[in-house]
Amino acid sequence: MSILIKNGRIITASDDYIADIYIEGETVSAIGKDLKVAPDKTINASGKLLFPGGIDPHVHLDMPFMGAFSSDDHETGTLAALYGGTTMVIDYAIQTRGDSLHAALETWKGRAEGKAYGDYSFHIAVTDYNENIKAELKDIIIKEGITSFKTFMAYKGALMIDDKQMISIMNEVKKYGGLVAVHATNGDMIDYLVGSTNPKETYPHGTIIFPNPK
């Protein structure tokens, strides 16, 4: 199907002008004034803004957490995103400890397939790193096209990995042009503070006093 969007005010990172946009299938094939095309559908965008769709690089759709799931799945989440001008989301495929990265990716693909209204891709959250997982990274990046990964310094016993694993992931991903994002919260420190019941033990140099709100 082809669509011609006429007389819209096109806004990009560097330009602001009035023109037509011709779309064939899912591809913008021409931009210009008075395009000589024969579209299946014409939309008059006079007085309206036309801008590239946004990308939300951090969403959690249909994600299990503590016995529940996130409120939006790929159907409701991507539909809501389109209403706000976001045409692509990047979800987090979270590795289950003991399983492979490929297994995590297939699980999240299964949750999204046939349900999404917009484009989507995935980061992979690595929660159980070893030599087998290290060997998967090249294939995940080169063949699967997943180039970004998430690691956690928090959520000990569930998502957290140690510093040695973190450095190994970064070095391996770097070889293939990928990126590693880090949830940079000190899991050991959090466990210590949560487990402490004595303020002076928690804060050896004194107690933090908060003002009484009026």
Side-chain angles (χ1 to χ4, degrees):
M1 180 177 179
S2 60
I3 300 173
L4 178 64
I5 304 175
K6 291 186 63 65
N7 301 317
R9 180 180 172 186
I10 298 173
I11 307 295
T12 71
S14 58
D15 297 304
D16 181 347
Y17 58 96
I18 305 295
D20 303 338
I21 295 179
Y22 183 56
I23 303 167
E24 293 181 286
E26 296 185 359
T27 302
V28 174
S29 60
I31 299 176
K33 292 187 176 181
D34 300 320
L35 294 176
K36 304 304 181 185
V37 294
D40 297 314
K41 181 179 181 180
T42 299
I43 298 173
N44 183 4
S46 298
K48 293 181 170 55
L49 302 178
L50 303 177
F51 54 91
I55 299 174
D56 188 339
H58 189 141
V59 302
H60 295 290
L61 300 175
D62 213 0
M63 184 187 78
F65 188 73
M66 298 181 69
F69 279 79
S70 55
S71 58
D72 280 304
D73 60 12
H74 277 79
E75 181 178 12
T76 62
T78 57
L79 182 58
L82 288 175
Y83 273 99
T86 296
T87 56
M88 180 177 180
V89 300
I90 308 180
D91 195 9
Y92 285 83
I94 301 175
Q95 177 197 17
T96 300
R97 290 196 165 190
D99 284 346
S100 67
L101 302 184
H102 282 92
L105 184 57
E106 289 307 309
T107 296
W108 256 261
K109 282 182 177 179
R111 290 173 178 161
E113 188 174 358
K115 296 172 69 175
Y117 282 90
D119 292 332
Y120 61 89
S121 186
F122 300 99
H123 314 284
I124 295 182
V126 183
T127 66
D128 186 9
Y129 189 72
N130 52 51
E131 288 301 312
N132 290 333
I133 302 305
K134 179 179 179 180
E136 281 191 275
L137 288 171
K138 179 179 179 181
D139 190 64
I140 289 287
I141 294 171
I142 302 300
K143 292 186 179 180
E144 297 289 349
I146 304 299
T147 59
S148 50
F149 302 84
K150 180 73 173 285
T151 59
F152 292 85
M153 298 173 69
Y155 307 111
K156 194 170 184 178
L159 303 176
M160 178 178 167
I161 61 174
D162 61 37
D163 291 350
K164 182 179 179 181
Q165 293 171 312
M166 194 91 60
I167 294 170
S168 180
I169 293 173
M170 290 178 177
N171 285 332
E172 193 66 18
V173 168
K174 181 181 178 181
K175 294 178 183 177
Y176 310 108
L179 296 172
V180 176
V182 179
H183 182 109
T185 311
N186 192 315
D188 289 320
M189 184 67 73
I190 290 172
D191 280 0
Y192 173 76
L193 294 175
V194 168
S196 175
T197 57
N198 185 337
K200 290 187 177 180
E201 179 185 348
T202 305
Y203 307 103
H205 301 293
T207 302
I208 295 178
I209 300 175
F210 293 94
N212 185 27
K214 295 180 181 180

